[in-house]
Short mmCIF file of all heavy atoms in Angstrom, two decimals:
data_model
loop_
_atom_site.label_atom_id
_atom_site.label_comp_id
_atom_site.label_asym_id
_atom_site.label_seq_id
_atom_site.Cartn_x
_atom_site.Cartn_y
_atom_site.Cartn_z
N MET A 1 0.85 -1.21 0.00
CA MET A 1 -0.01 0.01 -0.02
C MET A 1 0.90 1.25 0.02
O MET A 1 1.81 1.32 0.72
CB MET A 1 -0.88 -0.05 1.24
CG MET A 1 -1.96 1.03 1.22
SD MET A 1 -2.98 0.92 2.66
CE MET A 1 -4.60 0.67 1.92
N SER A 2 0.54 2.18 -0.88
CA SER A 2 1.34 3.43 -0.88
C SER A 2 0.48 4.64 -0.96
O SER A 2 -0.62 4.55 -1.44
CB SER A 2 2.30 3.38 -2.09
OG SER A 2 1.53 3.43 -3.26
N TYR A 3 0.99 5.69 -0.38
CA TYR A 3 0.26 6.99 -0.44
C TYR A 3 1.24 8.07 -0.28
O TYR A 3 2.38 7.89 0.16
CB TYR A 3 -0.79 7.01 0.71
CG TYR A 3 -0.15 6.81 2.09
CD1 TYR A 3 0.42 7.93 2.76
CD2 TYR A 3 -0.07 5.56 2.66
CE1 TYR A 3 0.99 7.73 4.04
CE2 TYR A 3 0.44 5.36 3.91
CZ TYR A 3 0.98 6.39 4.56
OH TYR A 3 1.61 6.18 5.80
N THR A 4 0.82 9.27 -0.73
CA THR A 4 1.77 10.38 -0.61
C THR A 4 1.36 11.26 0.57
O THR A 4 0.17 11.29 0.93
CB THR A 4 1.72 11.20 -1.89
OG1 THR A 4 0.42 11.64 -2.14
CG2 THR A 4 2.26 10.47 -3.04
N GLY A 5 2.31 11.89 1.17
CA GLY A 5 2.01 12.82 2.27
C GLY A 5 2.08 12.10 3.65
O GLY A 5 2.82 11.13 3.81
N TYR A 6 1.25 12.53 4.56
CA TYR A 6 1.33 12.10 5.91
C TYR A 6 -0.01 11.56 6.36
O TYR A 6 -0.99 11.62 5.65
CB TYR A 6 1.71 13.29 6.80
CG TYR A 6 3.00 13.95 6.38
CD1 TYR A 6 2.99 15.20 5.77
CD2 TYR A 6 4.23 13.39 6.61
CE1 TYR A 6 4.13 15.80 5.31
CE2 TYR A 6 5.40 13.96 6.21
CZ TYR A 6 5.37 15.16 5.58
OH TYR A 6 6.52 15.78 5.15
N SER A 7 0.07 11.00 7.55
CA SER A 7 -1.22 10.52 8.15
C SER A 7 -1.57 11.43 9.34
O SER A 7 -0.73 11.85 10.10
CB SER A 7 -0.95 9.10 8.72
OG SER A 7 -0.38 8.29 7.68
N TRP A 8 -2.91 11.70 9.37
CA TRP A 8 -3.38 12.61 10.44
C TRP A 8 -4.46 11.95 11.20
O TRP A 8 -5.38 11.32 10.61
CB TRP A 8 -3.89 13.89 9.78
CG TRP A 8 -2.90 14.54 8.88
CD1 TRP A 8 -2.78 14.30 7.55
CD2 TRP A 8 -1.91 15.51 9.23
NE1 TRP A 8 -1.75 15.08 7.01
CE2 TRP A 8 -1.21 15.80 8.03
CE3 TRP A 8 -1.58 16.13 10.41
CZ2 TRP A 8 -0.14 16.72 8.04
CZ3 TRP A 8 -0.52 17.03 10.38
CH2 TRP A 8 0.20 17.33 9.23
N GLU A 9 -4.40 12.06 12.50
CA GLU A 9 -5.45 11.40 13.32
C GLU A 9 -6.15 12.45 14.11
O GLU A 9 -5.62 13.30 14.80
CB GLU A 9 -4.77 10.44 14.28
CG GLU A 9 -5.84 9.71 15.08
CD GLU A 9 -5.22 8.53 15.93
OE1 GLU A 9 -4.05 8.65 16.35
OE2 GLU A 9 -5.96 7.53 16.13
N CYS A 10 -7.51 12.36 14.02
CA CYS A 10 -8.38 13.23 14.79
C CYS A 10 -8.49 12.76 16.22
O CYS A 10 -8.12 11.63 16.51
CB CYS A 10 -9.77 13.25 14.10
SG CYS A 10 -10.97 14.21 15.03
N GLU A 11 -8.91 13.65 17.09
CA GLU A 11 -9.11 13.29 18.51
C GLU A 11 -10.06 12.08 18.65
O GLU A 11 -10.00 11.34 19.59
CB GLU A 11 -9.69 14.48 19.27
CG GLU A 11 -8.62 15.57 19.42
CD GLU A 11 -9.28 16.89 19.96
OE1 GLU A 11 -10.46 16.83 20.32
OE2 GLU A 11 -8.59 17.90 19.97
N CYS A 12 -10.98 11.96 17.65
CA CYS A 12 -11.94 10.87 17.74
C CYS A 12 -11.42 9.56 17.17
O CYS A 12 -12.07 8.56 17.28
CB CYS A 12 -13.23 11.24 16.96
SG CYS A 12 -13.04 11.21 15.20
N GLY A 13 -10.22 9.67 16.60
CA GLY A 13 -9.61 8.36 16.12
C GLY A 13 -9.71 8.21 14.60
O GLY A 13 -9.10 7.29 14.06
N HIS A 14 -10.42 9.14 13.95
CA HIS A 14 -10.54 9.09 12.50
C HIS A 14 -9.19 9.44 11.84
O HIS A 14 -8.54 10.36 12.30
CB HIS A 14 -11.64 10.03 12.08
CG HIS A 14 -11.82 10.08 10.58
ND1 HIS A 14 -12.34 9.01 9.89
CD2 HIS A 14 -11.62 11.05 9.67
CE1 HIS A 14 -12.39 9.27 8.54
NE2 HIS A 14 -12.02 10.55 8.45
N ILE A 15 -8.77 8.69 10.83
CA ILE A 15 -7.51 8.95 10.21
C ILE A 15 -7.68 9.36 8.73
O ILE A 15 -8.46 8.80 8.03
CB ILE A 15 -6.62 7.68 10.27
CG1 ILE A 15 -6.23 7.47 11.75
CG2 ILE A 15 -5.31 7.85 9.46
CD1 ILE A 15 -5.48 6.16 12.00
N GLU A 16 -6.94 10.42 8.35
CA GLU A 16 -6.95 10.86 7.01
C GLU A 16 -5.52 10.90 6.46
O GLU A 16 -4.63 11.06 7.29
CB GLU A 16 -7.54 12.31 6.92
CG GLU A 16 -9.01 12.42 7.28
CD GLU A 16 -9.86 12.32 5.99
OE1 GLU A 16 -9.35 12.35 4.88
OE2 GLU A 16 -11.11 12.25 6.21
N TYR A 17 -5.39 10.77 5.15
CA TYR A 17 -4.01 10.89 4.57
C TYR A 17 -3.97 12.09 3.67
O TYR A 17 -4.88 12.44 2.98
CB TYR A 17 -3.72 9.58 3.76
CG TYR A 17 -3.84 8.36 4.51
CD1 TYR A 17 -4.93 7.49 4.45
CD2 TYR A 17 -2.83 8.02 5.41
CE1 TYR A 17 -5.00 6.34 5.20
CE2 TYR A 17 -2.91 6.82 6.21
CZ TYR A 17 -3.99 6.03 6.05
OH TYR A 17 -4.07 4.88 6.81
N GLY A 18 -2.80 12.71 3.70
CA GLY A 18 -2.60 13.90 2.82
C GLY A 18 -1.40 14.65 3.23
O GLY A 18 -0.78 14.40 4.26
N GLU A 19 -1.06 15.67 2.38
CA GLU A 19 0.15 16.46 2.72
C GLU A 19 -0.14 17.39 3.92
O GLU A 19 0.68 17.69 4.71
CB GLU A 19 0.61 17.25 1.51
CG GLU A 19 1.26 16.38 0.54
CD GLU A 19 2.01 17.18 -0.52
OE1 GLU A 19 2.49 18.28 -0.19
OE2 GLU A 19 2.01 16.76 -1.70
N ASN A 20 -1.37 17.87 3.98
CA ASN A 20 -1.78 18.79 5.00
C ASN A 20 -2.98 18.19 5.80
O ASN A 20 -3.77 17.39 5.24
CB ASN A 20 -2.26 20.13 4.43
CG ASN A 20 -1.15 20.81 3.69
OD1 ASN A 20 -0.02 21.01 4.18
ND2 ASN A 20 -1.35 21.10 2.39
N PRO A 21 -3.09 18.55 7.09
CA PRO A 21 -4.17 18.01 7.84
C PRO A 21 -5.52 18.52 7.35
O PRO A 21 -5.62 19.65 6.92
CB PRO A 21 -3.92 18.52 9.28
CG PRO A 21 -3.02 19.68 9.10
CD PRO A 21 -2.26 19.47 7.84
N PRO A 22 -6.55 17.73 7.30
CA PRO A 22 -7.88 18.21 6.93
C PRO A 22 -8.33 19.27 7.87
O PRO A 22 -8.03 19.23 9.09
CB PRO A 22 -8.76 16.93 7.05
CG PRO A 22 -7.81 15.79 7.11
CD PRO A 22 -6.55 16.32 7.77
N GLU A 23 -9.08 20.24 7.36
CA GLU A 23 -9.57 21.32 8.26
C GLU A 23 -10.65 20.79 9.21
O GLU A 23 -10.73 21.17 10.34
CB GLU A 23 -10.14 22.44 7.41
CG GLU A 23 -9.04 23.37 6.86
CD GLU A 23 -9.65 24.53 6.12
OE1 GLU A 23 -10.85 24.89 6.36
OE2 GLU A 23 -8.95 25.16 5.36
N GLU A 24 -11.49 19.92 8.69
CA GLU A 24 -12.60 19.45 9.40
C GLU A 24 -12.69 17.96 9.39
O GLU A 24 -12.50 17.34 8.27
CB GLU A 24 -13.92 20.07 8.84
CG GLU A 24 -15.17 19.75 9.67
CD GLU A 24 -16.37 20.34 9.01
OE1 GLU A 24 -16.29 21.34 8.26
OE2 GLU A 24 -17.45 19.84 9.27
N CYS A 25 -13.01 17.31 10.52
CA CYS A 25 -13.10 15.90 10.55
C CYS A 25 -14.44 15.48 9.96
O CYS A 25 -15.44 15.98 10.34
CB CYS A 25 -12.97 15.39 12.01
SG CYS A 25 -13.24 13.62 12.14
N LYS A 26 -14.46 14.54 9.00
CA LYS A 26 -15.68 14.09 8.38
C LYS A 26 -16.52 13.28 9.37
O LYS A 26 -17.72 13.15 9.19
CB LYS A 26 -15.36 13.20 7.15
CG LYS A 26 -14.89 14.01 5.96
CD LYS A 26 -14.59 13.01 4.87
CE LYS A 26 -13.56 13.62 3.90
NZ LYS A 26 -12.82 12.56 3.17
N LYS A 27 -15.85 12.69 10.37
CA LYS A 27 -16.57 11.77 11.24
C LYS A 27 -17.26 12.56 12.40
O LYS A 27 -18.44 12.39 12.63
CB LYS A 27 -15.57 10.75 11.78
CG LYS A 27 -16.22 9.60 12.39
CD LYS A 27 -15.23 8.54 12.77
CE LYS A 27 -15.83 7.44 13.60
NZ LYS A 27 -14.80 6.54 14.16
N CYS A 28 -16.46 13.43 13.06
CA CYS A 28 -17.04 14.09 14.25
C CYS A 28 -17.31 15.54 14.06
O CYS A 28 -17.89 16.18 14.92
CB CYS A 28 -16.13 13.82 15.51
SG CYS A 28 -14.57 14.73 15.39
N GLY A 29 -16.78 16.10 12.94
CA GLY A 29 -17.05 17.53 12.60
C GLY A 29 -16.18 18.56 13.30
O GLY A 29 -16.37 19.71 13.10
N LYS A 30 -15.21 18.06 14.07
CA LYS A 30 -14.27 19.02 14.72
C LYS A 30 -13.39 19.70 13.74
O LYS A 30 -12.96 19.11 12.79
CB LYS A 30 -13.46 18.22 15.79
CG LYS A 30 -14.17 18.12 17.13
CD LYS A 30 -13.09 17.77 18.16
CE LYS A 30 -13.79 17.59 19.53
NZ LYS A 30 -12.82 17.22 20.56
N ILE A 31 -13.04 20.94 14.09
CA ILE A 31 -12.10 21.71 13.25
C ILE A 31 -10.70 21.68 13.89
O ILE A 31 -10.61 21.82 15.09
CB ILE A 31 -12.61 23.20 13.13
CG1 ILE A 31 -14.10 23.24 12.78
CG2 ILE A 31 -11.78 23.96 12.11
CD1 ILE A 31 -14.43 23.14 11.35
N ASN A 32 -9.72 21.55 13.01
CA ASN A 32 -8.35 21.61 13.45
C ASN A 32 -8.05 20.63 14.64
O ASN A 32 -7.37 20.96 15.57
CB ASN A 32 -7.91 22.98 13.85
CG ASN A 32 -7.91 23.92 12.66
OD1 ASN A 32 -7.67 23.56 11.50
ND2 ASN A 32 -8.13 25.18 12.88
N SER A 33 -8.57 19.43 14.55
CA SER A 33 -8.42 18.47 15.61
C SER A 33 -7.41 17.41 15.24
O SER A 33 -7.22 16.46 15.99
CB SER A 33 -9.75 17.83 15.95
OG SER A 33 -10.24 17.23 14.80
N PHE A 34 -6.79 17.52 14.02
CA PHE A 34 -5.90 16.49 13.55
C PHE A 34 -4.47 16.66 14.06
O PHE A 34 -3.97 17.77 14.08
CB PHE A 34 -5.92 16.40 12.05
CG PHE A 34 -7.16 15.78 11.49
CD1 PHE A 34 -8.31 16.55 11.26
CD2 PHE A 34 -7.17 14.42 11.21
CE1 PHE A 34 -9.47 15.95 10.77
CE2 PHE A 34 -8.33 13.84 10.72
CZ PHE A 34 -9.45 14.63 10.48
N ALA A 35 -3.88 15.52 14.44
CA ALA A 35 -2.47 15.55 14.86
C ALA A 35 -1.71 14.58 13.94
O ALA A 35 -2.26 13.55 13.52
CB ALA A 35 -2.31 15.09 16.31
N LYS A 36 -0.51 14.96 13.62
CA LYS A 36 0.26 14.11 12.71
C LYS A 36 0.65 12.81 13.37
O LYS A 36 1.14 12.80 14.48
CB LYS A 36 1.51 14.88 12.24
CG LYS A 36 2.19 14.26 11.06
CD LYS A 36 3.42 15.08 10.74
CE LYS A 36 4.27 14.31 9.77
NZ LYS A 36 5.65 14.94 9.66
N LEU A 37 0.53 11.73 12.63
CA LEU A 37 0.95 10.40 13.15
C LEU A 37 2.37 10.13 12.68
O LEU A 37 2.64 10.30 11.52
CB LEU A 37 -0.01 9.33 12.61
CG LEU A 37 -1.37 9.11 13.27
CD1 LEU A 37 -2.02 7.97 12.53
CD2 LEU A 37 -1.20 8.77 14.71
N PRO A 38 3.13 9.56 13.54
CA PRO A 38 4.48 9.10 13.14
C PRO A 38 4.29 7.94 12.14
O PRO A 38 3.37 7.06 12.36
CB PRO A 38 5.14 8.57 14.41
CG PRO A 38 4.26 9.09 15.54
CD PRO A 38 2.91 9.37 14.97
N GLU A 39 5.09 7.88 11.12
CA GLU A 39 4.91 6.84 10.09
C GLU A 39 5.10 5.45 10.58
O GLU A 39 4.48 4.52 10.05
CB GLU A 39 5.87 7.12 8.92
CG GLU A 39 5.37 8.28 8.01
CD GLU A 39 6.14 8.33 6.76
OE1 GLU A 39 6.60 7.30 6.21
OE2 GLU A 39 6.39 9.46 6.32
N GLU A 40 5.93 5.26 11.62
CA GLU A 40 6.13 3.90 12.11
C GLU A 40 4.87 3.29 12.58
O GLU A 40 4.56 2.14 12.47
CB GLU A 40 7.16 3.87 13.26
CG GLU A 40 8.43 4.64 12.98
CD GLU A 40 8.33 6.06 13.32
OE1 GLU A 40 8.23 6.35 14.53
OE2 GLU A 40 8.23 6.93 12.46
N ILE A 41 4.01 4.12 13.25
CA ILE A 41 2.77 3.62 13.73
C ILE A 41 1.86 3.20 12.64
O ILE A 41 1.27 2.15 12.72
CB ILE A 41 2.08 4.75 14.65
CG1 ILE A 41 2.87 4.97 15.88
CG2 ILE A 41 0.63 4.32 14.97
CD1 ILE A 41 2.31 6.03 16.73
N VAL A 42 1.79 3.95 11.58
CA VAL A 42 0.96 3.63 10.45
C VAL A 42 1.46 2.33 9.82
O VAL A 42 0.69 1.45 9.50
CB VAL A 42 0.98 4.78 9.44
CG1 VAL A 42 0.14 4.39 8.19
CG2 VAL A 42 0.40 6.04 10.07
N ASP A 43 2.78 2.23 9.64
CA ASP A 43 3.33 1.01 9.02
C ASP A 43 2.95 -0.21 9.83
O ASP A 43 2.55 -1.22 9.34
CB ASP A 43 4.86 1.11 8.93
CG ASP A 43 5.26 2.12 7.89
OD1 ASP A 43 4.41 2.40 7.01
OD2 ASP A 43 6.42 2.48 7.86
N GLU A 44 3.01 -0.04 11.14
CA GLU A 44 2.70 -1.20 12.08
C GLU A 44 1.23 -1.52 11.91
O GLU A 44 0.89 -2.70 11.83
CB GLU A 44 3.07 -0.76 13.47
CG GLU A 44 3.03 -1.87 14.44
CD GLU A 44 4.06 -2.97 14.08
OE1 GLU A 44 5.16 -2.66 13.54
OE2 GLU A 44 3.83 -4.18 14.35
N ARG A 45 0.41 -0.54 11.87
CA ARG A 45 -1.06 -0.79 11.70
C ARG A 45 -1.36 -1.52 10.42
O ARG A 45 -2.18 -2.46 10.33
CB ARG A 45 -1.86 0.50 11.72
CG ARG A 45 -2.02 1.02 13.15
CD ARG A 45 -2.96 2.22 13.18
NE ARG A 45 -2.87 2.92 14.44
CZ ARG A 45 -3.49 4.02 14.73
NH1 ARG A 45 -4.24 4.63 13.81
NH2 ARG A 45 -3.34 4.57 15.90
N GLU A 46 -0.75 -1.02 9.33
CA GLU A 46 -1.00 -1.69 8.01
C GLU A 46 -0.52 -3.08 8.00
O GLU A 46 -1.14 -3.95 7.44
CB GLU A 46 -0.30 -0.84 6.92
CG GLU A 46 -1.13 0.41 6.58
CD GLU A 46 -0.42 1.17 5.49
OE1 GLU A 46 0.61 0.79 4.96
OE2 GLU A 46 -0.94 2.29 5.16
N LYS A 47 0.59 -3.31 8.67
CA LYS A 47 1.17 -4.63 8.73
C LYS A 47 0.18 -5.58 9.48
O LYS A 47 -0.10 -6.67 9.08
CB LYS A 47 2.52 -4.62 9.46
CG LYS A 47 3.37 -5.82 9.13
CD LYS A 47 4.76 -5.63 9.72
CE LYS A 47 5.22 -6.82 10.46
NZ LYS A 47 5.70 -6.59 11.80
N ASN A 48 -0.30 -5.05 10.61
CA ASN A 48 -1.24 -5.85 11.36
C ASN A 48 -2.55 -6.18 10.61
O ASN A 48 -3.01 -7.27 10.66
CB ASN A 48 -1.67 -5.12 12.67
CG ASN A 48 -0.48 -5.11 13.68
OD1 ASN A 48 0.47 -5.88 13.51
ND2 ASN A 48 -0.50 -4.18 14.61
N GLU A 49 -3.02 -5.19 9.87
CA GLU A 49 -4.22 -5.41 9.07
C GLU A 49 -3.96 -6.45 7.99
O GLU A 49 -4.78 -7.31 7.69
CB GLU A 49 -4.66 -4.09 8.39
CG GLU A 49 -5.50 -3.26 9.32
CD GLU A 49 -5.81 -1.92 8.63
OE1 GLU A 49 -5.98 -1.83 7.45
OE2 GLU A 49 -5.87 -0.93 9.46
N TRP A 50 -2.79 -6.37 7.36
CA TRP A 50 -2.43 -7.31 6.38
C TRP A 50 -2.35 -8.71 6.92
O TRP A 50 -2.85 -9.67 6.31
CB TRP A 50 -1.04 -6.90 5.78
CG TRP A 50 -0.57 -7.75 4.65
CD1 TRP A 50 0.44 -8.65 4.64
CD2 TRP A 50 -1.09 -7.75 3.32
NE1 TRP A 50 0.55 -9.26 3.45
CE2 TRP A 50 -0.33 -8.72 2.61
CE3 TRP A 50 -2.10 -7.06 2.66
CZ2 TRP A 50 -0.60 -8.99 1.25
CZ3 TRP A 50 -2.37 -7.36 1.33
CH2 TRP A 50 -1.61 -8.29 0.63
N GLU A 51 -1.77 -8.82 8.11
CA GLU A 51 -1.71 -10.17 8.73
C GLU A 51 -3.11 -10.70 9.13
O GLU A 51 -3.41 -11.87 8.98
CB GLU A 51 -0.81 -10.12 9.99
CG GLU A 51 0.67 -10.09 9.57
CD GLU A 51 1.60 -9.70 10.74
OE1 GLU A 51 1.14 -9.62 11.86
OE2 GLU A 51 2.83 -9.63 10.43
N GLU A 52 -3.99 -9.78 9.50
CA GLU A 52 -5.35 -10.17 9.81
C GLU A 52 -5.99 -10.76 8.58
O GLU A 52 -6.69 -11.79 8.62
CB GLU A 52 -6.18 -8.94 10.25
CG GLU A 52 -6.04 -8.57 11.73
CD GLU A 52 -6.45 -9.68 12.66
OE1 GLU A 52 -7.57 -10.25 12.48
OE2 GLU A 52 -5.66 -9.99 13.55
N LEU A 53 -5.81 -10.09 7.42
CA LEU A 53 -6.48 -10.47 6.21
C LEU A 53 -5.98 -11.83 5.68
O LEU A 53 -6.64 -12.54 4.95
CB LEU A 53 -6.26 -9.42 5.13
CG LEU A 53 -7.03 -8.10 5.35
CD1 LEU A 53 -6.54 -7.10 4.32
CD2 LEU A 53 -8.57 -8.31 5.14
N ASN A 54 -4.70 -12.12 6.04
CA ASN A 54 -4.07 -13.32 5.48
C ASN A 54 -3.95 -14.50 6.45
O ASN A 54 -3.12 -15.35 6.27
CB ASN A 54 -2.70 -12.94 4.86
CG ASN A 54 -2.89 -12.06 3.61
OD1 ASN A 54 -3.24 -12.59 2.58
ND2 ASN A 54 -2.66 -10.76 3.74
N LYS A 55 -4.76 -14.49 7.44
CA LYS A 55 -4.67 -15.59 8.38
C LYS A 55 -5.14 -16.91 7.78
O LYS A 55 -6.04 -16.88 7.00
CB LYS A 55 -5.56 -15.25 9.60
CG LYS A 55 -4.79 -14.77 10.80
CD LYS A 55 -5.67 -14.47 11.98
CE LYS A 55 -4.83 -13.76 13.08
NZ LYS A 55 -5.75 -13.28 14.09
ZN1 LIG B 101 -12.97 13.44 14.43
#
């Protein structure tokens, strides 16, 4: 899986991908609630999901 830019996580746990953080969360409607996620965490999550799918 590949994407450009960064991963952003809202306070509610919703994750968006992009170069800049989304202004508004589509899930909870909060503004400027996104924090940048370290890429290692995302890689780990994707790996776990992949392992789940291929059990
Ligand atoms: Zn949210």
Side-chain angles (χ1 to χ4, degrees):
M1 190 178 238
S2 66
Y3 55 87
T4 55
Y6 305 105
S7 307
W8 306 91
E9 183 173 32
C10 175
E11 290 168 10
C12 74
H14 180 65
I15 293 175
E16 293 267 352
Y17 302 104
E19 285 193 36
N20 299 304
E23 280 185 20
E24 185 180 338
C25 177
K26 285 179 204 156
K27 197 174 169 190
C28 70
K30 272 197 185 179
I31 311 274
N32 293 332
S33 58
F34 284 85
K36 192 178 166 195
L37 278 182
E39 282 189 36
E40 311 86 70
I41 291 179
V42 177
D43 287 345
E44 193 61 31
R45 281 187 194 176
E46 281 180 3
K47 199 172 134 232
N48 288 342
E49 276 174 33
W50 183 252
E51 282 168 5
E52 278 300 309
L53 289 171
N54 288 287
K55 257 181 190 170

